[in-house]
Amino acid sequence: MGQGLHTKMVQVASRALKIPTSKIYISETSTNTVPNTSPTAASVSTDLNGQATYEACQTILKRLEPFKKKNPSGSWEDWVIAAYLDAVSLSATGFYKKTERQSTVNSRTPNIGYSFETNSGNPFHYFSYGVACSEVEIDCLTGDHKNLRTDIVMDVGTSLNPAIDIGQVEGAFVQGLGLFTLEELHYSPEGSLHTRGPSTYKIPAFGSIPSEFRVSLLRDCPNKKAIYASKAVGEPPLFLAASIFFAIKDAIRAARAGNPDCKTKKLFQLNSPATPEKIRNACVDQFTRLCVTGTAESCKPWSVRV
């Protein structure tokens, strides 16, 4: 799925068991191993699977403890072989679930429970934070824009794998870039969706990525509420792409300010996504005004129909 989930689970098991990652093998999830596993949704995959992996590892370590005490200088293989010969189970199942019920049981996320009726409780275990600053350039004649630079700082707690987390931030941002600047839904008067496939629906491409794209992770911010002080990452950075949208709006405002014919220089409406058509019509000139009313007297670019 591109989350790097398997890599992170290998790292969690390696750290919990105190053995190299080369000794750990991970296979695809299946209902014949965990019939009631939770879906990889809402960016909670690492939190849930990581804690479940950790609990399973603790079970195995507890079973190996007597053999470690008998042979403290032995290797991992020595302890495993001794346990096997003594008929000790070397397999374990961990289960950790996000729940809406108040609980302090290790197999559930604690203190989660929110009531819409009373507006009380905790809907989330913790929050993710991020900040982005973007610079764009618009073409007032065509409505096209270029994403020149974006700087992002994301709080992922103590990252389990910085390379994976930075990749998740980059991917989510580009997906959000499509949401806020490219992906416009068009419907027929009967309500049928026209933009159904790649031929009619524009998605981000290589050229959409900012020319300078700098992503960094916030340092020294451990999150004690998740596995190994980490935080979920995946969906949250998507909304940082709103910085592109508002940078475009600032650029349009600058263009309008330099246009002596534009009467409303500061206040204007720009709806997301900021497509080339909307950018062009918002950069008011004699042509857009003629399209609105047939005269050069009006300055209402949001009323233009093309």
Side-chain angles (χ1 to χ4, degrees), residues 156-301:
V156 297
T158 302
S159 176
L160 294 176
N161 188 311
I164 289 177
D165 288 345
I166 288 176
Q168 289 289 287
V169 174
E170 292 173 339
F173 180 86
V174 173
Q175 184 179 359
L177 188 153
L179 172 67
F180 290 114
T181 66
L182 298 173
E183 302 169 13
E184 186 172 26
L185 303 180
H186 290 282
Y187 294 89
S188 71
E190 295 76 27
S192 176
L193 180 64
H194 286 318
T195 48
R196 294 191 176 190
S199 62
T200 56
Y201 186 70
K202 187 172 178 59
I203 63 175
F206 292 111
S208 305
I209 301 173
S211 301
E212 293 186 50
F213 198 10
R214 307 181 184 187
V215 178
S216 60
L217 305 179
L218 190 64
R219 297 177 180 272
D220 302 321
C221 54
N223 173 41
K224 298 180 180 180
K225 297 183 177 181
I227 183 68
Y228 287 133
S230 64
K231 272 191 177 183
V233 62
E235 295 177 3
L238 180 145
F239 296 101
L240 297 180
S243 62
I244 293 284
F245 175 82
F246 290 112
I248 291 174
K249 189 170 184 180
D250 284 344
I252 295 173
R253 183 179 291 109
R256 292 164 69 98
N259 183 355
D261 296 328
C262 182
K263 298 179 181 179
T264 55
K265 299 181 184 296
K266 293 185 177 181
L267 298 178
F268 65 98
Q269 181 174 334
L270 182 68
N271 294 331
S272 177
T275 60
E277 296 88 347
K278 293 179 181 177
I279 295 174
R280 174 66 184 92
N281 290 327
C283 295
V284 179
D285 55 23
Q286 65 271 28
F287 302 109
T288 58
R289 291 199 299 274
L290 285 171
C291 290
V292 176
T293 61
T295 67
E297 298 176 355
S298 178
C299 183
K300 295 182 180 179

Side-chain angles (χ1 to χ4, degrees), residues 5-206:
L5 183 60
H6 285 180
T7 301
K8 286 188 174 183
M9 294 307 101
V10 168
Q11 290 181 275
V12 170
S14 172
R15 184 171 175 178
L17 297 174
K18 296 181 176 61
I19 59 175
T21 56
S22 59
K23 296 183 182 294
I24 299 173
Y25 170 79
I26 189 168
S27 61
E28 296 290 336
T29 185
S30 174
T31 53
N32 65 0
T33 53
V34 184
N36 56 337
T37 184
S38 298
T40 55
S43 304
V44 298
S45 305
T46 298
D47 288 1
L48 299 186
N49 292 278
Q51 192 63 39
T53 300
Y54 176 83
E55 292 186 7
C57 290
Q58 295 306 307
T59 300
I60 293 176
L61 288 175
K62 188 175 181 180
R63 295 172 184 170
L64 290 176
E65 189 62 31
F67 305 97
K68 288 184 177 182
K69 290 181 178 180
K70 289 181 181 180
N71 184 13
S73 60
S75 65
W76 172 260
E77 287 78 5
D78 295 334
W79 301 327
V80 168
I81 292 173
Y84 173 76
L85 294 176
D86 203 30
V88 174
S89 174
L90 294 175
S91 65
T93 299
F95 191 82
Y96 188 85
K97 184 174 178 62
K98 182 178 180 181
T99 179
E100 295 181 355
R101 294 185 299 169
Q102 299 283 345
S103 174
T104 56
V105 179
N106 290 334
S107 62
R108 296 193 181 107
T109 305
N111 304 319
I112 293 288
Y114 179 78
S115 171
F116 285 96
E117 289 76 15
T118 61
N119 191 26
S120 62
N122 297 317
F124 310 105
H125 195 38
Y126 62 85
F127 293 89
S128 294
Y129 303 93
V131 62
C133 181
S134 297
E135 180 183 358
V136 304
E137 180 181 86
I138 65 171
D139 188 327
C140 299
L141 295 179
T142 65
D144 194 16
H145 81 277
K146 294 181 180 179
N147 300 317
L148 302 180
R149 175 172 173 172
T150 292
D151 292 84
I152 296 175
V153 178
M154 194 72 194
D155 172 20
V156 297
T158 302
S159 176
L160 294 176
N161 188 311
I164 289 177
D165 288 345
I166 288 176
Q168 289 289 287
V169 174
E170 292 173 339
F173 180 86
V174 173
Q175 184 179 359
L177 188 153
L179 172 67
F180 290 114
T181 66
L182 298 173
E183 302 169 13
E184 186 172 26
L185 303 180
H186 290 282
Y187 294 89
S188 71
E190 295 76 27
S192 176
L193 180 64
H194 286 318
T195 48
R196 294 191 176 190
S199 62
T200 56
Y201 186 70
K202 187 172 178 59
I203 63 175
F206 292 111

